[in-house]
DNA sequence: CACAAACCGATCCTTTCGGATAGCTCTTAC
DNA sequence: GTAAGAGCTATCCGAAAGGATCGGTTTGTG
């Protein structure tokens, strides 16, 4: 029940960045239960997160992906240039493989769902603080699955987004300054990568995977 | 800064139902700041919510839409048969008009986003407890917009879901035991209602509106 | 260097879409 | 009772879609 003996001499200084007041309060409450964990600051958006990070130099940053002004991905990318390397845990309610993949490639060390149990939160923080990467089992499984699936290239994503607006191949060709034949080729590859039989199913899969700008969620 | 004088003699007994521990803790912490609000129980899923509601008879139930075992909509529908009529506030992170609409038609009296400020949460609880319906301004605006847009009929939704699997009109016809011509007609109506120019765009719009079973979010 | 992958372009051919238009039941609401 | 809307069926027809197959450049990696 009690925590491990990992460098328990110093307390771990934590910065929370989340635009939901309820979640911030919940995290503070949960983390306050462990005496080696100390919340030293809270940010309401991405900009504030960067500012406070530089001011406070926390040991661990817990970050939501969807935030106003500057989203989680950007914050991770921006902070990764700092020395020493920040230890960042992404805490979000999106179980989408795409978000997970992007977060990790951007440099995040941990990924937690908002449905996580308190103990899981504590342990992840301690592991990341200790320099390890930490992914809950269920999340790790998704990552493996995600990595197995081929990713769309930038160009293919552009085509996909135009498809989402109902554009025809010819229209997409004009928009992207390429031949309609090329568009058809891209579309074909998209189908294969998404394992879809037509553009309609491709759209359904893409939006559910988070490949399309879905705005609110 | 202080609250209104609305029947402040008794404290308002509140039941929380949310599968996210972090959110539950956050709510408890926030509600504890107001002495007229008292959390009398917490449920982790839909079934527990119904059970605890009957045991505790809270004044107000705060409910998440997405929960294991029994989702929020079902809980609202089920509890509405109770006497006296339960006062239910839906608290979710989905700003989707569809969720909002379904919740209200099911009988919920309030709708809050997880991004809501503490004061907004307090006020909504008090208003709903007083028998009023309460919708934040931004949410209400969305509702108006949603209501203005035509809804899809059951049959049209069935067609739409088959489209999501990439089925052709002919295939959908076979599946639903109707003529391909009929399917085409339904599809045409769907386009008009969703304001889409083709099935691809229709899919994009439908998934973003939550018309398609999106499972995890 | 060689190989893979992204990106670009093309042809042929069949199937499917989707618009315009029309008529038929059945149920619900005014 | 009649008007409205859901659900069903139908024909014509041009425009897309998409499968199969081919070949080209450029860039980056082993």
């Amino acid at each position: 029940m009690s925590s491990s003996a990992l460098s328990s001499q110093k307390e771990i200084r934590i910065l929370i960045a989340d635009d939901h007041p309820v979640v911030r309060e919940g995290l503070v409450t949960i983390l306050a239960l462990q005496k080696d964990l100390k919340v030293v600051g809270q940010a309401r958006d991405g900009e504030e997160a960067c500012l406070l990070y530089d001011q406070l130099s926390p040991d661990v940053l817990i970050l939501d992906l969807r935030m106003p002004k500057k989203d989680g991905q950007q914050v991770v990318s921006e902070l990764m240039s700092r020395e020493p390397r920040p230890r960042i845990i992404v805490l979000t309610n999106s179980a989408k493989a795409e978000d997970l993949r992007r977060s990790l490639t951007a440099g995040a060390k941990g990924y937690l769902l908002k449905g996580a149990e308190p103990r899981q939160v504590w342990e992840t923080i301690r592991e990341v603080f200790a320099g390890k990467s930490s992914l809950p089992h269920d999340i790790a499984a998704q990552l493996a699955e995600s990595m197995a699936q081929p990713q769309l290239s930038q160009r293919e994503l552009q085509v996909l987004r135009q498809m989402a607006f109902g554009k025809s191949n010819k229209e997409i060709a004009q928009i992207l300054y390429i031949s309609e034949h090329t568009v058809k080729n891209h579309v074909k590859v998209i189908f294969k990568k998404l394992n879809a039989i037509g553009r309609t199913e491709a759209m359904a899969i893409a939006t559910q995977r988070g490949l399309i700008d879905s705005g609110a969620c």
Side-chain angles (χ1 to χ4, degrees), chain A:
Chain A
M1 197 68 71
S2 62
S3 64
S4 64
L6 278 173
S7 65
S8 53
Q9 307 203 335
K10 303 198 305 185
E11 57 193 8
I12 304 178
R13 301 174 65 250
I14 300 167
L15 172 61
I16 294 174
D18 197 310
D19 58 323
H20 302 339
V22 175
V23 175
R24 285 200 306 271
E25 285 302 327
L27 272 176
V28 169
T29 304
I30 284 176
L31 298 184
L33 297 176
Q34 300 288 295
K35 55 181 182 298
D36 60 329
L37 307 179
K38 182 180 177 65
V39 176
V40 296
Q42 299 181 34
R44 279 158 204 77
D45 59 59
E47 280 183 13
E48 206 177 347
C50 291
L51 283 175
L52 285 179
Y53 182 87
D54 287 332
Q55 283 179 22
L56 302 171
S57 295
D59 297 316
V60 175
L61 168 60
I62 298 183
L63 190 66
D64 188 8
L65 276 187
R66 300 168 201 278
M67 283 189 299
K69 291 188 183 174
K70 196 181 287 184
D71 91 352
Q73 310 284 7
Q74 292 175 267
V75 174
V76 174
S77 303
E78 183 174 330
L79 291 183
M80 284 316 284
S81 64
R82 304 292 193 278
E83 283 296 341
R85 278 294 148 74
R87 297 178 169 117
I88 301 178
I89 297 173
V90 170
L91 175 74
T92 185
N93 42 15
S94 160
K96 283 180 186 147
E98 200 55 25
D99 285 333
L100 170 60
R101 201 185 52 72
R102 275 201 290 254
S103 299
L104 294 185
T105 55
K109 292 291 184 297
Y111 196 95
L112 280 173
L113 292 184
K114 281 184 179 168
E117 293 297 325
R119 188 187 304 181
Q120 208 167 30
V121 179
W122 301 333
E123 288 173 359
T124 298
I125 292 174
R126 295 193 185 104
E127 287 181 11
V128 169
F129 174 67
K132 293 188 285 190
S133 286
S134 174
L135 292 180
H137 17 285
D138 48 342
I139 298 288
Q142 276 209 344
L143 178 63
E145 188 184 354
S146 159
M147 289 311 199
Q149 286 171 344
Q151 297 170 27
L152 297 191
S153 70
Q154 283 308 110
R155 204 53 163 169
E156 285 154 3
L157 281 177
Q158 289 175 358
V159 173
L160 190 66
R161 285 184 190 118
Q162 293 303 323
M163 286 200 299
F165 293 129
K167 303 293 185 190
S168 70
N169 290 338
K170 191 186 292 182
E171 289 171 319
I172 297 175
Q174 291 168 350
I175 293 171
L176 299 181
Y177 303 108
I178 54 180
S179 156
E180 183 185 349
H181 302 294
T182 307
V183 175
K184 281 191 173 188
N185 244 327
H186 285 316
V187 170
K188 207 180 313 175
V189 176
I190 291 173
F191 292 166
K192 195 170 292 178
K193 287 187 177 178
L194 291 183
N195 198 24
I197 35 184
R199 47 175 63 202
T200 312
E201 193 188 13
M203 274 313 311
I205 296 173
T207 49
Q208 285 177 14
R209 277 212 203 159
L211 268 34
I212 305 289
D213 233 358
S214 42
C217 183

